Amino acid sequence: MTITQLEYIVAVDTYRSFVLAAEKCFVTQPTLSMQVQKLEDTLGVKLFDRSKQPVTPTEIGIEIITQARIMLSESEKIKEIITDRQKELSGELKVGIIPTVSPYILPKIIHGFIEKYPQVKLIVWEQTTEEIVQQLKLGTIDCGILSTPLHESNLTEIPVFYENFVAYTSKNSKLSKKKNITPDDIDMEEIWILNEGHCMREQVLNICQRRKSTKGFQHFEYNTGSVETLKRMVDQNNGATILPELALADLSDKQLDRVRYFKSPEPAREVSIVIQRNFLKRRMIEALKNEILEFVPKRMKSKKKKELMDI
């Protein structure tokens, strides 16, 4: 049994394809298949059901692959011991980030991070919460930046900042007539919200204390995963929407006049770096966290006078 063979069976399990697994491992498909077969012969069991498409692990294969992931993680710690002794950070850091956070922090921190750590290759995927959680469990990314709590016992959450929600209104919105608002002031029939699958949608519904699906605009139903699109819908089609506070940075003075803040305690979201419990690349992840903290305003580093919305 070799580390390479364990890497191959984990890859097949992750991508559910021998061809794709070989591509991701930078070997030919026959080479990967031969090594997987050798491991099966050594163990005396079949790890995969090759008759199914996509390829699926057998019952005992699931248990062995789970242990293989642990062994690979532990083997990587040997490399990390060496890296930690080196003064300069180096290597790859694979990050998943949700689309309602990504456009407001990534452009602000990427340049500074790369300048400070030129030997680190930052690889970022913009994904939904569900996708990031799945990738973390599979070990295909090192950390996620997303709204928490997730209530996932096998993941560790490191809170970074607490971001208030605000209302962005059109001139015709009922909310525009008020200086400060409360959740009770919101009429869901005039609110543009994200489609299902985005955690911020659930947080907005929780602000409005309406967990069930909402009727929305009577003559039009629009599904989007973009906060920026929600702003444009308000600008051109009336109504209102709920925005994370960092989204206000690029608004014009005219648009800022349409923002309405909630009365205290203000609804807010907790944004965290999420990792596997047995995580690697501690120094790189800590460096990323510090870079984010340098950017976010001081008021977002505390959750005082804020009501955190669950997802």
Side-chain angles (χ1 to χ4, degrees):
M1 186 188 305
T2 67
I3 292 293
T4 299
Q5 288 173 337
L6 297 182
E7 288 175 341
Y8 289 171
I9 65 170
V10 165
V12 174
D13 180 54
T14 299
Y15 300 107
R16 299 301 167 103
S17 163
F18 279 83
V19 174
L20 189 55
E23 180 183 321
K24 297 295 184 180
C25 292
F26 303 103
V27 295
T28 64
Q29 190 264 324
T31 297
L32 182 138
S33 295
M34 181 180 68
Q35 290 298 323
V36 172
Q37 184 65 58
K38 279 187 177 181
L39 181 58
E40 288 179 323
D41 292 343
T42 299
L43 298 175
V45 296
K46 286 292 180 185
L47 300 176
F48 297 100
D49 184 346
R50 293 162 172 80
S51 66
K52 295 181 179 179
Q53 290 297 329
V55 175
T56 56
T58 60
E59 187 173 343
I60 193 168
I62 292 172
E63 294 184 45
I64 291 172
I65 292 165
T66 298
Q67 188 60 37
R69 290 185 186 278
I70 295 171
M71 292 174 69
L72 289 173
S73 177
E74 291 298 318
S75 71
E76 283 294 318
K77 286 185 177 179
I78 296 174
K79 298 177 185 177
E80 191 160 302
I81 290 170
I82 298 169
T83 302
D84 283 347
R85 292 298 180 96
Q86 298 170 341
K87 291 183 178 180
E88 189 171 19
L89 288 179
S90 63
E92 288 184 347
L93 183 62
K94 299 176 182 178
V95 182
I97 185 169
I98 55 175
T100 59
V101 171
S102 175
Y104 311 118
I105 65 170
L106 273 187
K108 311 293 184 182
I109 69 167
I110 289 291
H111 181 70
F113 186 88
I114 293 173
E115 274 199 339
K116 289 178 185 175
Y117 311 106
Q119 299 303 314
V120 174
K121 182 178 181 180
L122 198 58
I123 305 172
V124 182
W125 288 272
E126 194 172 284
Q127 300 171 312
T128 64
T129 296
E130 184 178 355
E131 290 169 333
I132 292 173
V133 168
Q134 181 66 12
Q135 296 301 314
L136 283 169
K137 290 179 178 179
L138 290 174
T140 52
I141 59 175
D142 300 306
C143 66
I145 301 174
L146 59 168
S147 191
T148 50
L150 298 174
H151 309 292
E152 292 279 350
S153 59
N154 54 347
L155 297 178
T156 297
E157 299 167 4
I158 306 170
V160 181
F161 63 94
Y162 306 91
E163 182 182 19
N164 289 346
F165 287 109
V166 300
Y168 181 63
T169 72
S170 65
K171 291 180 181 179
N172 297 329
S173 168
K174 300 171 185 176
L175 298 177
S176 68
K177 311 299 188 293
K178 296 177 177 288
K179 184 177 180 181
N180 296 102
I181 63 173
T182 69
D184 291 336
D185 294 324
I186 296 174
D187 179 358
M188 286 304 295
E189 289 194 14
E190 72 160 9
I191 293 290
W192 299 95
I193 60 175
L194 296 173
N195 56 16
E196 293 185 6
H198 292 271
C199 58
M200 203 181 99
R201 171 191 171 91
E202 301 308 317
Q203 289 170 321
V204 170
L205 293 179
N206 286 340
I207 291 172
C208 306
Q209 300 175 342
R210 294 186 52 175
R211 287 183 171 273
K212 296 181 180 179
S213 61
T214 56
K215 188 165 70 170
F217 281 81
Q218 293 181 352
H219 304 294
F220 183 65
E221 180 178 329
Y222 184 70
N223 294 287
T224 181
S226 167
V227 173
E228 296 305 304
T229 300
L230 294 180
K231 288 195 296 189
R232 291 187 178 94
M233 294 302 284
V234 171
D235 288 338
Q236 299 178 30
N237 296 279
N238 296 322
T241 192
I242 305 297
L243 301 178
E245 190 176 0
L246 287 176
L248 305 183
D250 296 325
L251 296 187
S252 66
D253 290 341
K254 183 178 179 181
Q255 288 175 313
L256 287 173
D257 286 340
R258 301 180 190 171
V259 174
R260 296 295 178 270
Y261 294 88
F262 286 90
K263 295 177 181 177
S264 184
E266 297 172 82
R269 64 175 176 177
E270 177 183 79
V271 177
S272 301
I273 290 179
V274 181
I275 51 180
Q276 286 184 322
R277 284 198 175 279
N278 193 22
F279 76 105
L280 300 168
K281 304 184 181 178
R282 282 172 163 76
R283 287 178 64 205
M284 280 193 235
I285 292 172
E286 185 68 21
L288 179 63
K289 175 189 172 184
N290 290 337
E291 199 67 29
I292 296 171
L293 284 173
E294 282 186 24
F295 159 68
V296 298
K298 184 178 179 180
R299 66 181 179 280
M300 291 190 187
K301 297 175 185 178
S302 170
K303 56 184 176 182
K304 289 182 179 179
K305 298 183 179 180
K306 298 177 182 180
E307 182 182 358
L308 299 183
M309 295 293 108
D310 204 347
I311 60 173

